[in-house]
Amino acid sequence: MTSTTATNTDMGKIIVTLTLSNDIDEVLAEREFISADDIRRRTLDNVLVDTGATRLCLPANVIEQLGLKQVSTIEAQTAVDPQTVKVYDRVRLNVEGREGVYKCVENSFTRHFWDRRAAFEQRAVYLPRRRQHSYKV
C-alpha cells in the first residue's frame, strides 16, 4: 500500500498523492495468474481534489494507461455545458491508505489541461464524496 499525505495549503484546496490501478489486474495478481509487476497502475503526486464532485473523473491518457474497459456512456453536466461522457469500470483508488473500487468517467472536458500539465503545478482528479455512485449506468 502506498503512503500518501494530504495537505491543505489554502482554504478549500486539498492536495494528495493517490494510486490508481486496474482492479482486474489486481485480482489476477492475487490469484497468481499474472505477476504483481504486471499490474497496470499509476501514482499521481500533487493532485488537486474536488471535494464536491459526485463522480470519479480521470483523464483519457490515465484511463488508457490503466487499460480500463468502457462499459457505457452517460449525460454529464459540466461547468461549460452538458456532454456525453464515457464510463469505465473497475479502477482501484488508494488515497490516504483507504482503498475502493469505482467506476469512473473520462474527463474529456479538461483534456487540454492534462496534456499541458507541465505548465501547471497541480493536476485535478474529481473524487466521489461517498462510496455510492450518484449516477445511473
Side-chain angles (χ1 to χ4, degrees), residues 86-102:
K86 297 174 186 176
V87 179
Y88 295 85
D89 206 8
R90 309 281 307 257
V91 61
R92 191 175 290 196
L93 172 81
N94 183 308
V95 126
E96 289 293 312
R98 295 181 184 208
E99 194 169 81
V101 177
Y102 299 92

Side-chain angles (χ1 to χ4, degrees), residues 55-123:
R55 296 179 180 92
L56 172 60
C57 300
L58 298 173
N61 65 328
V62 171
I63 290 170
E64 183 179 328
Q65 290 168 359
L66 294 174
L68 302 178
K69 178 184 172 191
Q70 182 183 341
V71 292
S72 67
T73 59
I74 61 169
E75 289 299 315
Q77 180 61 49
T78 69
V80 179
D81 57 7
Q83 289 186 0
T84 300
V85 294
K86 297 174 186 176
V87 179
Y88 295 85
D89 206 8
R90 309 281 307 257
V91 61
R92 191 175 290 196
L93 172 81
N94 183 308
V95 126
E96 289 293 312
R98 295 181 184 208
E99 194 169 81
V101 177
Y102 299 92
K103 289 183 179 178
C104 67
V105 295
E106 181 181 338
N107 192 354
S108 58
F109 42 90
T110 59
R111 184 174 299 154
H112 66 282
F113 176 83
W114 289 84
D115 292 343
R116 297 184 192 134
R117 71 175 175 249
F120 294 87
E121 290 182 348
Q122 288 94 19
R123 294 176 272 176

Side-chain angles (χ1 to χ4, degrees), residues 7-16 47-53 122 125-126:
T7 60
N8 187 354
T9 55
D10 295 325
M11 182 176 230
K13 185 176 178 182
I14 300 172
I15 307 297
V16 299
V47 175
L48 177 62
V49 176
D50 178 351
T51 58
Q122 288 94 19
V125 169
Y126 305 101

